[in-house]
Amino acid sequence: SGDQTIRVNASKLTVGDAIELYRADVRGRAELGIVTNSYRNSVEYRLGWVQRAISGRTPLAAVTGDDLRRAVQFFVSRPTQSKKRLHKPTEKPISLRTAKDFVLELKAVFRFVENDLEGTGYRRPAGFEKIFKVSWKKLRTVKEREAEAVRAVHGEVATYSVEELACIWDGASERTRLYILMGLNFGWTSQEISDVRVFNLYLDENEPFVVKERSKQEVWARWPIWPETESMLTKQKAVRNPEKRWLLNAHGLPLVRVGTHRRDAVYEAWKRAIAKTPGEKVQRLGFRFLRKTSGNWVKQHGGLEVSEMFLSHGEVGADVNRFYANRRWPLMWESVWAFREALPFLRDDERGTE
């Protein structure tokens, strides 16, 4: 894996075989630290869809441009995927962004076949690049165009109000409350929560903190830990495990697992909490909107630079910038503590348990 060429002697190699070799290559690069585990998981998920778009039994050397066009068209048609909304299964078309990601993954597989696999006899068909060119903007639905227009006018990101957060908190389980705290205190998504390790957390310091790189962009940040977060992290720490994850699910597995299907214990817990709240009082937004909520609050308090630090966003420039050297960390911490003071339900809950 990595930048080495894989040699195969397989005149009868199938598309399915090629996908498995590509998957193994990505896994190998993740083990070497060349790509992140988050990237590997995303590729695993997208490859599951690629296998639906093109027959794995087709001999690789027999794949034509028309075969690839049909596969691209499968994604362009926005196939539906099963999702559970408030415990009710629904069929919803994949988003335009998701369709584009699937097409790019399909293209990556066949580039890998030609560039990194020797002995297959495969050569990309004429007009290969053109096959994958899609006018994505023209494929937007009326509803998607309307949503973009509203965002352009208002320039606002959907966030939760303090009252909505209090309502969700009131009916949430202890485990779900920990997820909520990590989303608000650190601005983390479910993947970040799943990825946090014992060596990221410094709970025994005079001022407990967590240091972690964002799984998506590998940008490091350092957050203070609220007392409520610290207490729940201590109580709910997983048993010792080889990957040194701080939290595991009830079966001793990572909270988020991505293969053909995504398993997300954080998202499932969040859905259960939302389902308990009155629809007229709480927006039905995903768990990731806690990150947007806290990031928006920190931005209002400390400014854009501070919110970028809080959200672990990457900077344009030298690689060293991903560590935010010489940044105003005290101001960011001040903003995070001020955000806690704006959440009265935390203090109310604390008084109710004393």
Side-chain angles (χ1 to χ4, degrees):
S1 60
D3 53 2
Q4 295 182 346
T5 299
I6 300 174
R7 299 179 183 276
V8 295
N9 182 14
S11 58
K12 295 184 179 180
L13 196 72
T14 65
V15 171
D17 295 329
I19 290 175
E20 288 306 313
L21 286 168
Y22 176 71
R23 178 181 280 119
D25 180 69
V26 173
R27 287 175 179 170
R29 285 187 284 149
E31 290 172 0
L32 292 173
I34 299 173
V35 298
T36 65
N37 286 325
S38 178
Y39 172 79
R40 179 201 63 190
N41 291 338
S42 296
V43 169
E44 293 270 7
Y45 174 69
R46 292 193 290 264
L47 287 179
W49 277 83
V50 168
Q51 288 174 306
R52 293 174 57 179
I54 188 167
S55 173
R57 294 190 293 271
T58 303
L60 193 60
V63 174
T64 64
D66 286 339
D67 293 322
L68 295 179
R69 289 187 189 92
R70 281 191 290 270
V72 170
Q73 185 57 41
F74 171 75
F75 294 127
V76 168
S77 66
R78 311 276 291 276
T80 60
Q81 60 179 337
S82 297
K83 286 191 173 184
K84 283 187 177 181
R85 296 295 181 188
L86 304 182
H87 305 287
K88 296 180 181 179
T90 59
E91 292 289 328
K92 184 178 179 181
I94 61 175
S95 69
L96 206 61
R97 173 64 182 273
T98 299
K100 185 176 182 180
D101 287 343
F102 290 160
V103 168
L104 291 175
E105 202 64 58
L106 172 68
K107 183 178 182 180
V109 169
F110 283 89
R111 276 183 167 173
F112 168 78
V113 168
E114 184 175 53
N115 298 331
D116 296 292
L117 296 184
E118 291 188 356
T120 62
Y122 177 79
R123 291 292 178 271
R124 65 176 70 180
F128 178 84
E129 294 294 335
K130 189 175 181 180
I131 291 171
F132 293 93
K133 286 185 177 180
V134 179
S135 298
W136 294 104
K137 286 189 176 181
K138 295 181 180 179
L139 299 175
R140 292 172 297 174
T141 64
V142 172
K143 187 175 181 179
E144 289 167 339
R145 290 170 185 262
E146 180 182 9
E148 288 184 7
V150 170
R151 285 196 297 271
V153 172
H154 298 288
E156 296 179 354
V157 176
T159 60
Y160 279 110
S161 68
V162 172
E163 292 74 23
E164 288 176 306
L165 292 174
C167 187
I168 298 168
W169 178 268
D170 187 54
S173 67
E174 284 296 298
R175 183 66 160 194
T176 304
R177 285 184 173 187
L178 173 57
Y179 298 153
I180 292 172
L181 283 169
M182 296 174 81
L184 296 174
N185 192 168
F186 313 137
W188 286 356
T189 62
S190 57
Q191 186 66 59
E192 308 299 331
I193 294 172
S194 178
D195 287 344
V196 70
R197 317 292 168 135
V198 297
F199 48 79
N200 296 130
L201 293 158
Y202 294 81
L203 301 184
D204 296 329
E205 299 293 322
N206 291 332
E207 295 183 70
F209 63 92
V210 56
V211 176
K212 186 181 179 299
E213 61 179 342
R214 189 182 178 202
S215 302
K216 184 176 180 180
Q217 294 181 317
E218 298 185 24
V219 176
W220 290 83
R222 174 173 170 161
W223 300 266
I225 300 177
W226 297 338
E228 300 82 6
T229 313
E230 177 191 1
S231 175
M232 289 192 181
L233 281 169
T234 301
K235 292 177 182 177
Q236 301 185 41
K237 183 179 180 181
V239 297
R240 183 175 298 181
N241 57 89
E243 294 188 335
K244 298 186 177 182
R245 293 180 186 270
W246 191 277
L247 298 172
L248 296 171
N249 69 12
H251 304 289
L253 298 171
L255 297 176
V256 177
R257 292 173 291 142
V258 182
T260 304
H261 301 285
R262 181 183 176 92
R263 311 290 185 188
D264 191 330
V266 178
Y267 178 65
E268 291 301 321
W270 175 255
K271 285 199 301 182
R272 290 192 293 270
I274 289 291
K276 295 178 182 178
T277 62
E280 68 277 8
K281 289 187 177 181
V282 177
Q283 302 174 80
R284 268 42 185 163
L285 301 175
F287 181 81
R288 64 191 176 92
F289 284 89
L290 290 183
R291 170 180 170 82
K292 297 179 185 297
T293 298
S294 54
N296 185 62
W297 204 99
V298 169
K299 180 180 178 180
Q300 292 178 5
H301 184 273
L304 178 60
E305 179 187 357
V306 170
S307 69
E308 292 290 276
M309 294 165 62
F310 175 78
L311 295 171
S312 300
H313 282 166
E315 287 187 297
V316 177
D319 185 61
V320 70
N321 285 335
R322 69 191 181 98
F323 293 102
Y324 285 119
N326 302 317
R327 284 303 192 93
R328 296 186 292 169
W329 290 108
L331 181 56
M332 194 271 266
W333 280 37
E334 178 185 318
S335 298
V336 174
W337 281 111
F339 181 40
R340 175 180 176 269
E341 292 303 310
L343 303 174
F345 60 87
L346 293 183
R347 298 190 295 280
D348 293 343
D349 187 70
E350 184 180 66
R351 284 194 292 269
T353 57
E354 289 180 345

